């Protein structure tokens, strides 16, 4: 693909310059000079909004990167993208727009990079969907570029206890169960998020930032560098990330190293390994499948299961553990994590990165794992052994696959009667009313990519179960997905989804359902003939949206087993 520099910069063909006179005329009006026309044009995607702490500081980061691009000899064209906050939309119809925004953001960046025929691109990110979306168009069009994570929020604090956004969701469940009063609920609400930055635990944002650094498409250390300091000013480390990013993209232009030179199959294996070792979000499955699709790298759920089968759980992070990203930052951050995994033989050290060097070369001077801490465990003595974090299951309820987050829990089987709900709100209300009991299997269907549409996260009902003390005694099964803050006995991404005629559509109240981890299966304990008979009588519900973004998405989106992509 010919870029702008090949079409304009340095051309002696007078006809070409005549053709571009109008473009140069318009650019002069926005402060381009004659000298700027000889510089590489670098797109800068800035997903800013003051509607969420995750991206509240991203406009300032954009200013820093823009200046750094100019200092490095480039010229920036700056633009924004949509941002949908998971935390704010959670548990409402608005959450249906969250995963959809991943595709819209990616398409928006493609529109700008292709519409302006830029030479390279730097994309910023903060909230969950902006992170994979910031890389998808770079992979899709094999651009020269990289992405910069805005960084994690500092933890909140109340009565000596560290808080984060999930503390607030679980406090709602605890309040409804009579475990805390309204005054304590409000205090948790007011103290959980002290400033700018993405959710502090090993939730989706920090998981994907770490995976992308391991993939080689962001700079070493950027995933674990904190967003702001205690005065809510951009941290020195994050300022340095911005400067390094501009210098790196200019160096990439000089070398000609493109996204797909870096985003190889082995690089995706590195990303999966780091996500699993840290105890990351199940959304990593969805987003890494989508990124592999964009990069035209063959990656399936079966591949993910195989790649991660021997990866131990080493991170002791929230939501299941004790710590947050700032605690990892203090002991060496992601470079320390990756060096530990590389030294133990879990990573491919020969994979290239946006530094122009290999993973092994980047990590040659990374800090070693400190011994006197329990934030990140040794592979020799892990927090939990392999196959005790995210599992890929199949069975008659999920012949295309589904994902389960164990997070170190020792469990082999769960059997119980199905409690069936066709939307998240109904399940949540039943839990809050105290009508779900130990041993139940809560089934929430028609929340998949097409059925929702938009594949909402089930953080509200899962947090309500945790808050009510049922997290280890009730299972939740859905064709929707889960927040990275979810923990408990949770199975999501069930495929095929109910809307497309998956078996989940014909589960009836009281049907016995079984999670069998020895066999890696999720089954409805009915005979094939009974299931076939029910499916023959089933009719798909009418589409919930007939026009607009959600209607378009429902028509285009693929199965969760393929990353819920639209291209």
């Amino acid at each position: 693909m010919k870029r702008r520099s090949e079409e304009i910069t340095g051309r002696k063909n007078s006809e070409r310059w005549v053709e571009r006179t109008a473009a140069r005329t318009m650019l002069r009006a926005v402060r381009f000079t004659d000298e700027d026309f000889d510089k590489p044009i670098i797109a800068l995607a800035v997903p800013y909004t003051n509607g969420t702490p995750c991206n509240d500081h991203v406009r300032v980061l954009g200013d820093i990167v823009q200046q750094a691009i100019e200092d490095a000899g480039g010229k920036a064209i700056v633009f924004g993208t949509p941002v949908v906050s998971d935390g704010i939309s959670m548990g409402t119809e608005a959450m249906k727009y969250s995963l959809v925004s991943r595709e819209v953001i990616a398409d928006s960046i493609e529109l700008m990079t292709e519409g302006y025929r830029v030479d390279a691109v730097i994309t910023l990110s903060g909230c969950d969907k902006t992170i994979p979306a910031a890389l998808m168009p770079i992979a899709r069009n094999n651009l020269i570029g990289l992405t910069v994570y805005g960084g994690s929020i500092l933890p909140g604090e109340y009565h000596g206890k560290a808080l984060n956004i999930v503390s607030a969701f679980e406090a709602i469940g605890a309040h409804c169960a009579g475990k805390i009063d309204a005054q304590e609920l409000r205090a948790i609400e007011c103290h959980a998020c002290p400033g700018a930055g993405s959710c502090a635990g090993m939730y989706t944002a920090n998981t994907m930032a770490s995976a992308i650094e391991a993939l080689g498409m962001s700079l070493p250390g950027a995933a674990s560098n904190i967003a702001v300091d205690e005065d809510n000013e951009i941290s020195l480390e994050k300022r340095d990330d911005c400067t390094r990013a501009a210098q790196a993209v200019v160096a990439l232009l000089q070398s000609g190293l493109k996204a797909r030179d870096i985003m190889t199959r082995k690089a995706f294996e590195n990303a999966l390994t780091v996500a699993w070792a840290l105890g990351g979000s199940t959304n990593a499955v969805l987003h890494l499948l989508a990124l592999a699709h964009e990069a035209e790298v063959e990656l399936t759920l079966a591949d993910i299961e195989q790649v991660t089968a021997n990866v131990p759980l080493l991170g002791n992070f929230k939501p299941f553990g004790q710590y947050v990203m700032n605690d990892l930052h203090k002991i060496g951050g992601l470079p320390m994590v990756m060096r530990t995994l590389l030294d133990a033989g879990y990573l491919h050290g020969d994979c290239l990165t946006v530094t122009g060097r290999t993973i092994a070369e980047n990590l040659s001077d990374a800090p070693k794992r400190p011994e006197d801490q329990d934030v990140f465990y040794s592979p020799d003595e892990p927090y939990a052994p392999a196959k005790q974090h995210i599992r890929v299951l199949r069975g008659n309820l999920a012949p295309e696959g589904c994902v389960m987050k164990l997070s170190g829990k020792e469990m082999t089987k769960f059997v119980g009667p199905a409690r069936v709900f066709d939307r998240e709100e109904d399940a949540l209300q039943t839990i809050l009313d105290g009508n779900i009991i130990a041993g139940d299997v809560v089934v929430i269907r028609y929340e998949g990519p097409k059925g929702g549409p938009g594949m909402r996260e089930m953080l509200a009902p899962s947090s309500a179960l945790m808050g009510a003390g049922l997290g280890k005694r009730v299972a939740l099964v859905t064709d929707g997905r889960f927040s990275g803050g979810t923990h408990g006995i949770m199975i999501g991404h069930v495929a095929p989804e109910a809307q497309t005629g998956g078996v989940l559509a014909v589960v009836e109240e009281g049907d016995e359902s079984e999670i069998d981890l020895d066999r890696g299966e999720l089954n409805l304990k009915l005979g094939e003939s009974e299931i076939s008979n029910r499916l023959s009588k089933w009719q798909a519900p009418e589409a919930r949206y007939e026009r607009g973004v959600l209607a378009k998405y429902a028509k285009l989106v693929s199965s969760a087993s393929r990353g819920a992509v639209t291209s």
Side-chain angles (χ1 to χ4, degrees):
M1 184 185 305
K2 290 184 178 180
R3 309 308 302 172
R4 188 206 68 89
S5 59
E6 296 172 325
E7 296 172 352
I8 303 174
T9 304
R11 283 287 186 99
K12 295 181 179 179
N13 187 325
S14 60
E15 291 183 2
R16 175 64 67 188
W17 281 105
V18 169
E19 290 173 9
R20 302 305 297 173
T21 296
R24 294 199 310 277
T25 299
M26 296 183 72
L27 290 172
R28 291 182 194 281
V30 290
R31 296 164 300 282
F32 275 58
T33 66
D34 285 340
E35 292 75 17
D36 291 332
F37 296 127
D38 291 325
K39 297 175 181 177
I41 300 299
I42 299 171
L44 174 57
V46 184
Y48 162 74
T49 177
N50 65 345
T52 171
C54 308
N55 293 59
D56 187 45
H57 63 309
V58 168
R59 185 164 64 180
V60 179
L61 296 182
D63 291 342
I64 297 170
V65 175
Q66 182 178 6
Q67 183 60 54
I69 288 171
E70 306 273 345
D71 294 342
K75 188 67 178 178
I77 289 183
V78 186
F79 58 92
T81 78
V83 180
V84 175
S85 168
D86 289 4
I88 292 173
S89 63
M90 195 72 68
T92 71
E93 287 284 296
M95 171 51 79
K96 293 182 178 181
Y97 290 86
S98 172
L99 186 60
V100 178
S101 75
R102 185 189 73 180
E103 311 306 303
V104 175
I105 295 164
D107 291 351
S108 298
I109 295 171
E110 179 182 357
L111 284 171
M112 295 300 290
T113 55
E114 298 306 307
Y116 283 85
R117 305 301 288 170
V118 300
D119 297 300
V121 57
I122 296 176
T123 56
L124 303 181
S125 64
C127 196
D128 292 2
K129 307 308 164 296
T130 63
I131 302 170
L135 183 53
M136 287 168 67
I138 300 177
R140 180 185 300 167
N141 291 325
N142 196 24
L143 303 180
I144 292 175
L146 55 85
T147 185
V148 181
Y149 177 45
S152 178
I153 193 172
L154 291 171
E157 188 270 333
Y158 178 65
H159 284 177
K161 182 179 179 181
L163 300 177
N164 58 78
I165 184 60
V166 177
S167 306
F169 281 99
E170 293 184 359
I172 296 169
H175 176 62
C176 291
K179 295 186 175 184
I180 63 174
D181 59 23
Q183 183 177 358
E184 185 168 355
L185 174 61
R186 175 171 169 73
I188 292 171
E189 170 194 328
C190 293
H191 291 85
C193 294
S198 297
C199 299
M202 197 51 63
Y203 310 143
T204 304
N206 283 327
T207 298
M208 286 309 301
S210 300
I212 289 172
E213 184 172 322
L215 189 64
M217 288 303 296
S218 64
L219 294 168
S224 48
N225 286 337
I226 302 304
V228 298
D229 58 28
E230 293 183 356
D231 296 322
N232 213 26
E233 298 291 336
I234 304 299
S235 71
L236 293 176
E237 295 93 340
K238 193 51 61 181
R239 287 179 178 274
D240 185 55
D241 290 342
C242 294
T243 301
R244 290 191 298 140
Q247 295 166 346
V249 83
V250 170
L252 287 172
L253 274 167
Q254 293 169 347
S255 68
L257 192 66
K258 295 184 177 181
R260 293 188 186 180
D261 298 324
I262 297 168
M263 297 175 69
T264 63
R265 170 57 188 259
K266 290 200 298 184
F268 276 95
E269 292 178 4
N270 284 345
L272 287 162
T273 297
V274 166
W276 259 245
L278 288 171
S281 164
T282 52
N283 283 313
V285 176
L286 204 66
H287 297 324
L288 287 170
L289 285 171
L291 284 167
H293 170 80
E294 300 288 8
E296 296 187 331
V297 170
E298 182 67 27
L299 187 70
T300 66
L301 278 175
D303 295 329
I304 291 175
E305 186 177 20
Q306 181 181 12
V307 169
T308 61
N310 297 316
V311 180
L313 176 58
L314 306 180
N316 181 12
F317 296 107
K318 293 180 183 295
F320 57 87
Q322 294 178 251
Y323 299 104
V324 295
M325 186 58 97
N326 192 38
D327 297 305
L328 181 64
H329 172 68
K330 292 174 182 176
I331 61 169
L334 200 70
M336 179 275 292
V337 168
M338 291 180 62
R339 178 169 181 173
T340 302
L341 290 168
L342 179 67
D343 290 346
Y346 287 99
L347 295 182
H348 302 291
D350 58 343
C351 290
L352 284 172
T353 74
V354 293
T355 66
R357 303 192 300 169
T358 65
I359 289 284
E361 289 170 337
N362 285 345
L363 297 175
S364 61
D365 57 354
K368 292 185 177 181
R369 176 186 166 274
E371 294 294 334
D372 56 342
Q373 50 81 32
D374 62 348
V375 177
F376 187 75
Y377 284 61
S378 165
D380 296 328
E381 298 182 45
Y383 182 90
K387 293 189 176 182
Q388 278 190 223
H389 182 44
I390 296 173
R391 293 285 304 274
V392 176
L393 309 179
R394 289 179 178 78
N396 66 17
L397 264 175
E400 287 183 15
C402 61
V403 295
M404 179 180 185
K405 189 174 182 180
L406 271 171
S407 300
K409 289 185 291 294
E410 293 183 4
M411 172 189 155
T412 56
K413 186 174 288 189
F414 189 100
V415 181
R419 303 294 308 279
V420 184
F421 304 92
D422 288 349
R423 56 199 296 268
E424 177 190 3
E425 289 88 346
D426 296 337
L428 176 61
Q429 193 57 56
T430 302
I431 295 167
L432 294 178
D433 289 343
N435 292 326
I436 297 296
I437 62 173
D440 284 346
V441 177
V442 175
V443 173
I444 307 177
R445 62 192 178 193
Y446 299 112
E447 291 285 7
K450 288 184 179 292
M455 205 178 181
R456 286 194 287 183
E457 292 181 345
M458 302 292 123
L459 180 60
S462 65
S463 294
L465 288 171
M466 293 300 299
L470 294 170
K472 295 182 179 180
R473 298 184 292 166
V474 170
L476 197 162
V477 176
T478 180
D479 52 7
R481 59 195 176 89
F482 292 112
S483 163
T486 294
H487 56 131
I489 306 172
M490 309 292 166
I491 295 178
H493 308 201
V494 172
E497 62 175 289
Q499 185 70 29
T500 62
V503 175
L504 202 67
V506 296
V507 177
E508 296 179 358
E509 188 81 7
D511 283 346
E512 195 169 65
S513 304
E514 179 184 66
I515 305 165
D516 188 333
L517 295 184
D518 288 335
R519 294 164 58 190
E521 293 185 355
L522 171 67
N523 289 308
L524 186 62
K525 300 197 75 175
L526 293 175
E528 289 185 17
S529 60
E530 174 61 20
I531 292 174
S532 297
N533 182 52
R534 290 187 187 183
L535 285 172
S536 68
K537 299 175 182 177
W538 173 83
Q539 290 186 333
E542 291 185 4
R544 293 180 175 177
Y545 298 85
E546 296 181 353
R547 58 187 302 180
V549 172
L550 294 182
K552 294 174 188 176
Y553 182 83
K555 291 176 182 176
L556 293 172
V557 70
S558 70
S559 168
S561 65
R562 294 176 51 211
V565 293
T566 57
S567 61

